[in-house]
Short mmCIF file of all heavy atoms in Angstrom, two decimals:
data_model
loop_
_atom_site.label_atom_id
_atom_site.label_comp_id
_atom_site.label_asym_id
_atom_site.label_seq_id
_atom_site.Cartn_x
_atom_site.Cartn_y
_atom_site.Cartn_z
N MET A 1 -17.46 18.48 2.99
CA MET A 1 -16.23 17.99 3.57
C MET A 1 -15.19 18.90 3.80
O MET A 1 -14.58 18.85 4.81
CB MET A 1 -15.70 16.67 2.73
CG MET A 1 -14.67 15.96 3.50
SD MET A 1 -15.26 15.13 4.97
CE MET A 1 -13.94 14.27 5.45
N ARG A 2 -14.97 19.76 2.84
CA ARG A 2 -13.77 20.81 2.89
C ARG A 2 -14.18 21.76 4.06
O ARG A 2 -13.33 22.25 4.85
CB ARG A 2 -13.78 21.45 1.66
CG ARG A 2 -12.61 22.37 1.50
CD ARG A 2 -12.60 23.09 0.26
NE ARG A 2 -11.77 22.36 -0.81
CZ ARG A 2 -11.48 22.52 -1.89
NH1 ARG A 2 -12.09 23.68 -2.50
NH2 ARG A 2 -10.84 21.83 -2.74
N ARG A 3 -15.52 21.99 4.22
CA ARG A 3 -15.89 22.98 5.19
C ARG A 3 -15.69 22.43 6.58
O ARG A 3 -15.27 23.07 7.55
CB ARG A 3 -17.36 23.43 5.00
CG ARG A 3 -17.95 24.21 6.17
CD ARG A 3 -19.34 24.54 5.91
NE ARG A 3 -19.44 25.79 5.12
CZ ARG A 3 -20.42 26.43 4.64
NH1 ARG A 3 -21.58 25.85 4.79
NH2 ARG A 3 -20.44 27.59 4.07
N LEU A 4 -16.00 21.17 6.70
CA LEU A 4 -15.80 20.55 8.09
C LEU A 4 -14.36 20.43 8.43
O LEU A 4 -14.08 20.82 9.59
CB LEU A 4 -16.35 19.07 8.03
CG LEU A 4 -16.27 18.24 9.17
CD1 LEU A 4 -17.09 18.81 10.35
CD2 LEU A 4 -16.58 16.77 8.97
N VAL A 5 -13.42 20.12 7.50
CA VAL A 5 -12.08 20.09 7.82
C VAL A 5 -11.56 21.53 8.21
O VAL A 5 -10.82 21.68 9.17
CB VAL A 5 -11.25 19.58 6.64
CG1 VAL A 5 -9.70 19.90 6.82
CG2 VAL A 5 -11.53 18.17 6.34
N GLY A 6 -12.05 22.59 7.44
CA GLY A 6 -11.76 24.00 7.86
C GLY A 6 -12.08 24.30 9.34
O GLY A 6 -11.44 25.04 10.03
N ILE A 7 -13.45 24.00 9.65
CA ILE A 7 -13.87 24.25 10.92
C ILE A 7 -13.04 23.47 11.97
O ILE A 7 -12.79 24.02 13.11
CB ILE A 7 -15.48 23.92 10.99
CG1 ILE A 7 -16.25 24.76 10.23
CG2 ILE A 7 -15.96 23.82 12.48
CD1 ILE A 7 -17.68 24.41 10.03
N VAL A 8 -12.79 22.27 11.79
CA VAL A 8 -11.90 21.58 12.85
C VAL A 8 -10.53 22.17 12.90
O VAL A 8 -10.12 22.27 14.09
CB VAL A 8 -11.78 19.99 12.32
CG1 VAL A 8 -10.83 19.34 13.24
CG2 VAL A 8 -13.20 19.28 12.50
N VAL A 9 -10.01 22.56 11.90
CA VAL A 9 -8.76 23.25 11.94
C VAL A 9 -8.70 24.49 12.71
O VAL A 9 -7.89 24.71 13.61
CB VAL A 9 -8.08 23.50 10.60
CG1 VAL A 9 -6.83 24.49 10.66
CG2 VAL A 9 -7.69 22.16 9.94
N ILE A 10 -9.80 25.29 12.42
CA ILE A 10 -9.82 26.63 13.27
C ILE A 10 -10.19 26.39 14.74
O ILE A 10 -9.53 26.92 15.57
CB ILE A 10 -11.07 27.41 12.61
CG1 ILE A 10 -10.60 27.97 11.29
CG2 ILE A 10 -11.49 28.59 13.45
CD1 ILE A 10 -11.67 28.66 10.46
N LEU A 11 -10.98 25.45 14.97
CA LEU A 11 -11.22 25.10 16.45
C LEU A 11 -10.04 24.47 17.11
O LEU A 11 -9.70 24.86 18.21
CB LEU A 11 -12.33 24.06 16.57
CG LEU A 11 -13.77 24.53 16.39
CD1 LEU A 11 -14.76 23.43 16.33
CD2 LEU A 11 -14.10 25.67 17.23
N TRP A 12 -9.28 23.70 16.43
CA TRP A 12 -7.95 23.16 17.04
C TRP A 12 -6.98 24.30 17.41
O TRP A 12 -6.39 24.36 18.35
CB TRP A 12 -7.37 22.28 15.78
CG TRP A 12 -6.01 21.70 16.29
CD1 TRP A 12 -4.87 22.10 16.25
CD2 TRP A 12 -5.98 20.21 16.77
NE1 TRP A 12 -3.89 21.15 16.78
CE2 TRP A 12 -4.45 19.97 17.07
CE3 TRP A 12 -6.86 19.21 17.08
CZ2 TRP A 12 -4.19 18.79 17.64
CZ3 TRP A 12 -6.30 18.13 17.59
CH2 TRP A 12 -5.08 17.86 17.81
N LEU A 13 -6.82 25.25 16.38
CA LEU A 13 -5.94 26.48 16.65
C LEU A 13 -6.51 27.34 17.77
O LEU A 13 -5.65 27.87 18.53
CB LEU A 13 -5.62 27.21 15.40
CG LEU A 13 -4.88 26.48 14.33
CD1 LEU A 13 -4.92 27.30 13.07
CD2 LEU A 13 -3.55 25.93 14.71
N LEU A 14 -7.75 27.50 17.86
CA LEU A 14 -8.37 28.25 18.86
C LEU A 14 -8.15 27.67 20.36
O LEU A 14 -7.83 28.24 21.24
CB LEU A 14 -9.83 28.54 18.75
CG LEU A 14 -10.23 29.46 17.59
CD1 LEU A 14 -11.89 29.48 17.44
CD2 LEU A 14 -9.79 30.93 17.95
N VAL A 15 -8.22 26.42 20.43
CA VAL A 15 -7.91 25.60 21.69
C VAL A 15 -6.50 25.81 22.03
O VAL A 15 -6.09 25.99 23.16
CB VAL A 15 -8.30 24.20 21.59
CG1 VAL A 15 -7.83 23.39 22.74
CG2 VAL A 15 -9.83 24.03 21.42
N GLY A 16 -5.59 25.76 20.96
CA GLY A 16 -4.23 26.00 21.20
C GLY A 16 -3.94 27.33 21.66
O GLY A 16 -3.01 27.62 22.56
N ALA A 17 -4.51 28.33 21.08
CA ALA A 17 -4.37 29.70 21.51
C ALA A 17 -4.91 29.97 22.85
O ALA A 17 -4.17 30.71 23.64
CB ALA A 17 -5.07 30.62 20.54
N LEU A 18 -5.93 29.32 23.30
CA LEU A 18 -6.42 29.42 24.68
C LEU A 18 -5.37 28.87 25.73
O LEU A 18 -5.08 29.34 26.72
CB LEU A 18 -7.71 28.63 24.83
CG LEU A 18 -8.30 28.62 26.29
CD1 LEU A 18 -8.68 29.99 26.73
CD2 LEU A 18 -9.71 27.72 26.25
N ALA A 19 -4.73 27.61 25.18
CA ALA A 19 -3.74 27.01 26.19
C ALA A 19 -2.50 27.98 26.22
O ALA A 19 -2.04 28.08 27.48
CB ALA A 19 -3.25 25.64 25.68
N ALA A 20 -2.14 28.56 25.12
CA ALA A 20 -0.95 29.54 25.32
C ALA A 20 -1.30 30.78 26.08
O ALA A 20 -0.50 31.29 26.93
CB ALA A 20 -0.65 30.02 23.82
N PHE A 21 -2.54 31.21 26.03
CA PHE A 21 -3.03 32.43 26.83
C PHE A 21 -3.08 32.02 28.35
O PHE A 21 -2.59 32.73 29.17
CB PHE A 21 -4.42 32.83 26.34
CG PHE A 21 -5.02 33.88 27.19
CD1 PHE A 21 -4.61 35.15 27.05
CD2 PHE A 21 -5.91 33.60 28.14
CE1 PHE A 21 -5.08 36.18 27.88
CE2 PHE A 21 -6.57 34.63 28.92
CZ PHE A 21 -6.05 35.87 28.76
N GLN A 22 -3.55 30.71 28.63
CA GLN A 22 -3.49 30.30 29.98
C GLN A 22 -2.02 30.20 30.64
O GLN A 22 -1.83 30.18 31.87
CB GLN A 22 -4.22 28.97 30.12
CG GLN A 22 -5.62 29.10 29.94
CD GLN A 22 -6.40 27.70 29.93
OE1 GLN A 22 -5.93 26.79 29.72
NE2 GLN A 22 -7.72 27.86 30.28
N ARG A 23 -1.09 29.96 29.79
CA ARG A 23 0.24 29.79 30.20
C ARG A 23 1.08 31.12 30.10
O ARG A 23 2.20 31.16 30.25
CB ARG A 23 0.99 28.73 29.23
CG ARG A 23 0.62 27.38 29.46
CD ARG A 23 1.32 26.39 28.53
NE ARG A 23 0.67 25.07 28.63
CZ ARG A 23 1.09 24.09 27.89
NH1 ARG A 23 1.93 24.19 26.96
NH2 ARG A 23 0.59 22.93 28.20
N ASP A 24 0.28 32.23 29.91
CA ASP A 24 0.80 33.62 29.95
C ASP A 24 1.92 33.79 28.83
O ASP A 24 2.76 34.59 28.97
CB ASP A 24 1.37 33.96 31.22
CG ASP A 24 0.21 34.16 32.36
OD1 ASP A 24 -0.82 34.43 32.07
OD2 ASP A 24 0.49 33.86 33.51
N TYR A 25 1.72 33.17 27.64
CA TYR A 25 2.65 33.41 26.57
C TYR A 25 2.39 34.70 25.93
O TYR A 25 3.15 35.03 25.00
CB TYR A 25 2.45 32.19 25.60
CG TYR A 25 3.18 30.93 26.06
CD1 TYR A 25 3.05 29.83 25.27
CD2 TYR A 25 3.91 30.89 27.20
CE1 TYR A 25 3.70 28.56 25.74
CE2 TYR A 25 4.57 29.82 27.60
CZ TYR A 25 4.37 28.49 26.89
OH TYR A 25 5.00 27.33 27.27
N PHE A 26 1.23 35.33 26.02
CA PHE A 26 0.91 36.57 25.28
C PHE A 26 1.00 37.85 26.28
O PHE A 26 0.48 38.87 25.80
CB PHE A 26 -0.53 36.46 24.88
CG PHE A 26 -0.82 35.39 23.90
CD1 PHE A 26 -1.67 34.31 23.94
CD2 PHE A 26 -0.05 35.31 22.53
CE1 PHE A 26 -1.90 33.43 23.08
CE2 PHE A 26 -0.16 34.30 21.71
CZ PHE A 26 -1.21 33.37 21.92
N THR A 27 1.63 37.74 27.35
CA THR A 27 1.85 38.88 28.22
C THR A 27 2.93 39.76 27.71
O THR A 27 3.75 39.37 26.91
CB THR A 27 2.08 38.46 29.63
OG1 THR A 27 3.33 37.74 29.66
CG2 THR A 27 1.13 37.61 30.38
N ASP A 28 2.88 41.05 28.05
CA ASP A 28 3.84 42.04 27.66
C ASP A 28 5.25 41.91 28.35
O ASP A 28 6.27 42.36 27.81
CB ASP A 28 3.34 43.46 27.90
CG ASP A 28 2.27 43.84 26.99
OD1 ASP A 28 2.19 43.22 25.84
OD2 ASP A 28 1.38 44.60 27.31
N ASN A 29 5.15 41.19 29.34
CA ASN A 29 6.55 41.19 30.16
C ASN A 29 7.43 40.03 29.64
O ASN A 29 8.45 39.89 30.29
CB ASN A 29 6.40 41.19 31.76
CG ASN A 29 5.48 39.92 32.13
OD1 ASN A 29 5.01 39.15 31.24
ND2 ASN A 29 5.22 39.70 33.41
N ARG A 30 7.04 39.42 28.69
CA ARG A 30 7.96 38.17 28.18
C ARG A 30 9.00 38.75 27.32
O ARG A 30 8.70 39.62 26.49
CB ARG A 30 7.07 37.08 27.47
CG ARG A 30 6.35 36.34 28.49
CD ARG A 30 5.63 35.21 27.82
NE ARG A 30 6.64 34.37 26.96
CZ ARG A 30 6.83 33.18 27.11
NH1 ARG A 30 6.10 32.46 27.86
NH2 ARG A 30 7.65 32.62 26.39
N GLU A 31 10.10 38.28 27.35
CA GLU A 31 11.33 38.57 26.58
C GLU A 31 10.95 37.92 25.12
O GLU A 31 10.59 36.88 24.94
CB GLU A 31 12.55 37.95 27.01
CG GLU A 31 13.61 38.34 26.11
CD GLU A 31 14.97 37.49 26.83
OE1 GLU A 31 15.10 37.42 27.98
OE2 GLU A 31 15.78 37.08 25.93
N VAL A 32 11.26 38.71 24.00
CA VAL A 32 11.02 38.26 22.75
C VAL A 32 12.38 37.58 22.27
O VAL A 32 13.45 38.23 22.18
CB VAL A 32 10.73 39.33 21.74
CG1 VAL A 32 10.57 38.81 20.32
CG2 VAL A 32 9.43 40.00 22.18
N SER A 33 12.23 36.26 22.12
CA SER A 33 13.40 35.54 21.70
C SER A 33 13.01 34.32 20.74
O SER A 33 11.69 33.97 20.70
CB SER A 33 14.12 34.97 22.83
OG SER A 33 13.42 33.99 23.53
N CYS A 34 13.98 33.69 20.15
CA CYS A 34 13.56 32.46 19.40
C CYS A 34 12.72 31.45 20.16
O CYS A 34 11.91 30.84 19.70
CB CYS A 34 14.85 31.98 18.79
SG CYS A 34 14.56 30.43 17.82
N LYS A 35 13.29 31.24 21.30
CA LYS A 35 12.76 30.24 22.29
C LYS A 35 11.18 30.49 22.58
O LYS A 35 10.37 29.70 22.51
CB LYS A 35 13.53 30.01 23.44
CG LYS A 35 12.91 28.84 24.37
CD LYS A 35 13.68 28.85 25.63
CE LYS A 35 13.14 27.91 26.51
NZ LYS A 35 11.78 27.63 26.72
N ASN A 36 11.00 31.72 22.94
CA ASN A 36 9.69 32.21 23.41
C ASN A 36 8.60 32.18 22.29
O ASN A 36 7.48 31.70 22.53
CB ASN A 36 9.73 33.56 24.07
CG ASN A 36 10.47 33.46 25.49
OD1 ASN A 36 10.56 32.49 26.11
ND2 ASN A 36 10.96 34.55 25.84
N VAL A 37 9.07 32.67 21.18
CA VAL A 37 8.26 32.72 20.00
C VAL A 37 7.94 31.17 19.48
O VAL A 37 6.80 30.91 19.20
CB VAL A 37 8.77 33.50 18.81
CG1 VAL A 37 8.00 33.41 17.52
CG2 VAL A 37 8.94 34.99 19.24
N GLY A 38 9.00 30.33 19.61
CA GLY A 38 8.76 28.97 19.10
C GLY A 38 7.73 28.26 20.17
O GLY A 38 7.00 27.45 19.59
N ASP A 39 8.05 28.52 21.39
CA ASP A 39 7.17 27.86 22.29
C ASP A 39 5.65 28.23 22.17
O ASP A 39 4.79 27.37 22.21
CB ASP A 39 7.59 28.18 23.84
CG ASP A 39 8.83 27.51 24.29
OD1 ASP A 39 9.40 26.60 23.61
OD2 ASP A 39 9.42 27.78 25.29
N THR A 40 5.49 29.47 22.04
CA THR A 40 4.11 29.92 21.78
C THR A 40 3.52 29.43 20.60
O THR A 40 2.47 28.86 20.50
CB THR A 40 4.06 31.62 21.72
OG1 THR A 40 4.75 32.12 22.87
CG2 THR A 40 2.70 32.07 21.50
N ALA A 41 4.27 29.44 19.38
CA ALA A 41 3.59 28.82 18.17
C ALA A 41 3.42 27.49 18.20
O ALA A 41 2.39 26.85 17.83
CB ALA A 41 4.66 29.15 17.02
N LEU A 42 4.36 26.65 18.90
CA LEU A 42 4.27 25.28 19.00
C LEU A 42 2.96 24.86 19.92
O LEU A 42 2.30 23.93 19.60
CB LEU A 42 5.50 24.61 19.53
CG LEU A 42 5.63 23.04 19.27
CD1 LEU A 42 5.51 22.74 17.97
CD2 LEU A 42 7.08 22.64 19.77
N THR A 43 2.74 25.60 21.07
CA THR A 43 1.75 25.48 21.83
C THR A 43 0.27 25.71 21.04
O THR A 43 -0.65 24.88 21.20
CB THR A 43 1.68 26.37 23.01
OG1 THR A 43 2.97 26.07 23.70
CG2 THR A 43 0.53 26.26 23.89
N VAL A 44 0.19 26.62 20.23
CA VAL A 44 -0.84 26.94 19.50
C VAL A 44 -1.17 25.85 18.44
O VAL A 44 -2.31 25.31 18.46
CB VAL A 44 -0.90 28.32 18.83
CG1 VAL A 44 -2.02 28.53 17.75
CG2 VAL A 44 -0.90 29.45 19.71
N VAL A 45 -0.14 25.40 17.85
CA VAL A 45 -0.33 24.24 16.76
C VAL A 45 -0.56 23.00 17.49
O VAL A 45 -1.47 22.20 17.02
CB VAL A 45 0.94 24.15 15.91
CG1 VAL A 45 0.93 22.95 15.12
CG2 VAL A 45 1.27 25.42 15.21
N ALA A 46 -0.05 22.67 18.69
CA ALA A 46 -0.45 21.51 19.41
C ALA A 46 -1.89 21.37 19.78
O ALA A 46 -2.44 20.32 19.94
CB ALA A 46 0.39 21.23 20.70
N GLY A 47 -2.58 22.50 19.96
CA GLY A 47 -4.00 22.54 19.99
C GLY A 47 -4.44 21.77 21.48
O GLY A 47 -3.84 21.92 22.48
N PRO A 48 -5.52 21.01 21.20
CA PRO A 48 -6.04 20.20 22.34
C PRO A 48 -4.99 19.17 22.95
O PRO A 48 -5.20 18.85 24.24
CB PRO A 48 -7.22 19.38 21.84
CG PRO A 48 -7.54 20.07 20.47
CD PRO A 48 -6.23 20.72 20.08
N LEU A 49 -4.01 18.89 22.27
CA LEU A 49 -2.99 17.93 23.07
C LEU A 49 -2.37 18.62 24.19
O LEU A 49 -1.91 17.88 25.10
CB LEU A 49 -1.83 17.72 21.95
CG LEU A 49 -2.28 16.88 20.68
CD1 LEU A 49 -1.01 16.78 19.75
CD2 LEU A 49 -2.98 15.71 21.06
N ASN A 50 -2.43 19.92 24.43
CA ASN A 50 -1.95 20.61 25.54
C ASN A 50 -2.66 20.15 26.87
O ASN A 50 -2.08 20.14 27.81
CB ASN A 50 -2.16 22.11 25.41
CG ASN A 50 -1.09 22.69 24.32
OD1 ASN A 50 0.08 22.74 24.59
ND2 ASN A 50 -1.57 23.08 23.24
N TYR A 51 -3.97 19.79 26.52
CA TYR A 51 -4.81 19.38 27.82
C TYR A 51 -4.66 17.96 28.03
O TYR A 51 -5.21 17.53 29.06
CB TYR A 51 -6.20 19.89 27.42
CG TYR A 51 -6.40 21.35 27.41
CD1 TYR A 51 -6.50 22.02 26.23
CD2 TYR A 51 -6.29 22.13 28.62
CE1 TYR A 51 -6.54 23.52 26.29
CE2 TYR A 51 -6.36 23.44 28.64
CZ TYR A 51 -6.48 24.16 27.31
OH TYR A 51 -6.62 25.46 27.48
N LEU A 52 -3.82 17.31 27.30
CA LEU A 52 -3.52 15.83 27.47
C LEU A 52 -2.17 15.68 27.94
O LEU A 52 -1.69 14.48 28.04
CB LEU A 52 -3.79 15.05 26.18
CG LEU A 52 -5.24 15.10 25.60
CD1 LEU A 52 -5.26 14.34 24.22
CD2 LEU A 52 -6.15 14.43 26.47
N GLY A 53 -1.48 16.67 28.47
CA GLY A 53 -0.27 16.66 29.02
C GLY A 53 0.95 16.92 28.17
O GLY A 53 2.08 17.01 28.65
N VAL A 54 0.68 17.35 26.96
CA VAL A 54 1.69 17.79 26.05
C VAL A 54 2.14 19.23 26.36
O VAL A 54 1.41 20.04 26.57
CB VAL A 54 1.33 17.66 24.55
CG1 VAL A 54 2.37 18.15 23.68
CG2 VAL A 54 0.86 16.23 24.20
N ASN A 55 3.49 19.39 26.60
CA ASN A 55 4.01 20.63 26.95
C ASN A 55 5.10 20.97 26.06
O ASN A 55 6.24 20.77 26.35
CB ASN A 55 4.39 20.78 28.36
CG ASN A 55 4.75 22.17 28.77
OD1 ASN A 55 4.50 23.14 28.01
ND2 ASN A 55 5.42 22.39 29.94
N PRO A 56 4.85 21.43 24.73
CA PRO A 56 5.86 21.49 23.76
C PRO A 56 6.82 22.70 24.06
O PRO A 56 6.44 23.75 24.49
CB PRO A 56 5.19 21.79 22.39
CG PRO A 56 3.73 22.44 22.89
CD PRO A 56 3.51 21.76 24.20
N LYS A 57 8.12 22.39 23.86
CA LYS A 57 9.12 23.33 24.09
C LYS A 57 10.16 23.30 22.88
O LYS A 57 10.30 22.30 22.28
CB LYS A 57 10.07 23.13 25.40
CG LYS A 57 9.19 23.16 26.68
CD LYS A 57 8.90 24.50 26.86
CE LYS A 57 8.03 24.69 28.23
NZ LYS A 57 7.51 25.96 28.43
N VAL A 58 10.78 24.53 22.69
CA VAL A 58 11.69 24.68 21.50
C VAL A 58 12.94 24.97 22.10
O VAL A 58 13.18 25.78 23.04
CB VAL A 58 11.15 25.84 20.57
CG1 VAL A 58 12.18 26.09 19.39
CG2 VAL A 58 9.79 25.38 19.97
N LYS A 59 14.12 24.41 21.46
CA LYS A 59 15.39 24.81 21.73
C LYS A 59 15.96 25.51 20.56
O LYS A 59 16.13 25.01 19.57
CB LYS A 59 16.30 23.61 22.09
CG LYS A 59 15.85 22.75 23.29
CD LYS A 59 16.74 21.65 23.70
CE LYS A 59 16.32 21.06 24.89
NZ LYS A 59 17.15 19.89 25.18
N CYS A 60 16.32 26.76 20.73
CA CYS A 60 16.84 27.61 19.64
C CYS A 60 18.33 27.96 19.98
O CYS A 60 18.53 28.33 21.10
CB CYS A 60 16.06 28.90 19.37
SG CYS A 60 14.30 28.56 18.88
N LYS A 61 19.10 27.86 18.97
CA LYS A 61 20.43 28.34 19.15
C LYS A 61 20.66 29.31 17.98
O LYS A 61 20.77 28.80 16.74
CB LYS A 61 21.33 27.24 19.01
CG LYS A 61 22.74 27.29 19.66
CD LYS A 61 23.57 26.15 19.75
CE LYS A 61 24.17 26.06 21.12
NZ LYS A 61 25.08 24.84 21.16
N VAL A 62 20.70 30.55 18.19
CA VAL A 62 20.93 31.55 17.17
C VAL A 62 22.38 31.78 17.00
O VAL A 62 23.05 31.98 18.14
CB VAL A 62 20.19 32.76 17.63
CG1 VAL A 62 20.34 33.89 16.63
CG2 VAL A 62 18.58 32.55 17.68
N PRO A 63 22.92 31.77 15.82
CA PRO A 63 24.23 32.04 15.67
C PRO A 63 24.72 33.45 16.12
O PRO A 63 23.96 34.37 15.87
CB PRO A 63 24.53 31.91 14.22
CG PRO A 63 23.29 31.71 13.56
CD PRO A 63 22.30 31.59 14.65
N GLN A 64 25.87 33.47 16.80
CA GLN A 64 26.28 34.81 17.40
C GLN A 64 27.26 35.38 16.32
O GLN A 64 27.92 34.73 15.55
CB GLN A 64 27.08 34.65 18.77
CG GLN A 64 26.19 34.05 19.74
CD GLN A 64 25.14 34.93 20.14
OE1 GLN A 64 25.25 36.22 20.26
NE2 GLN A 64 23.82 34.39 20.35
N PRO A 65 27.26 36.70 16.17
CA PRO A 65 28.22 37.35 15.17
C PRO A 65 29.64 37.22 15.65
O PRO A 65 29.95 37.02 16.68
CB PRO A 65 27.85 39.05 15.28
CG PRO A 65 27.00 39.09 16.58
CD PRO A 65 26.52 37.66 16.94
N SER A 66 30.42 37.18 14.65
CA SER A 66 31.90 36.88 14.96
C SER A 66 32.43 38.29 15.38
O SER A 66 32.02 39.38 15.18
CB SER A 66 32.62 36.45 13.75
OG SER A 66 32.49 37.40 12.61
N GLU A 67 33.62 38.00 16.21
CA GLU A 67 34.16 39.27 16.77
C GLU A 67 35.32 39.89 15.90
O GLU A 67 35.91 39.14 15.11
CB GLU A 67 34.70 38.91 18.11
CG GLU A 67 33.71 38.64 18.97
CD GLU A 67 34.29 38.27 20.50
OE1 GLU A 67 35.48 38.61 20.78
OE2 GLU A 67 33.58 37.59 21.27
#
């Protein structure tokens, strides 16, 4: 049973990585920011749900240094 769960989790993440790749989240020309990294990670974790219409997005608000 443990092996089956492990295989399902790996397949789930692979499908999510494929969805992120198809959305060009792994290209070099993307800006590295909290939002972009969050969108990519959330897309991978969402896995097959991406193909059912789920388009996860993250809203990040990073604190700015004081002047």
Side-chain angles (χ1 to χ4, degrees):
M1 185 66 172
R2 187 179 274 178
R3 176 179 266 175
L4 178 63
V5 170
I7 291 171
V8 168
V9 168
I10 289 171
L11 289 175
W12 183 277
L13 294 174
L14 285 174
V15 170
L18 178 64
F21 178 76
Q22 289 175 339
R23 293 178 180 172
D24 291 328
Y25 285 174
F26 297 123
T27 58
D28 288 336
N29 60 355
R30 285 188 54 128
E31 176 187 329
V32 177
S33 69
C34 174
K35 180 187 178 327
N36 290 339
V37 171
D39 286 347
T40 303
L42 197 54
T43 298
V44 171
V45 171
L49 298 177
N50 290 291
Y51 295 103
L52 297 176
V54 175
N55 189 9
K57 296 290 180 185
V58 173
K59 292 182 182 179
C60 288
K61 202 173 223 187
V62 179
Q64 299 297 318
S66 60
E67 293 181 19

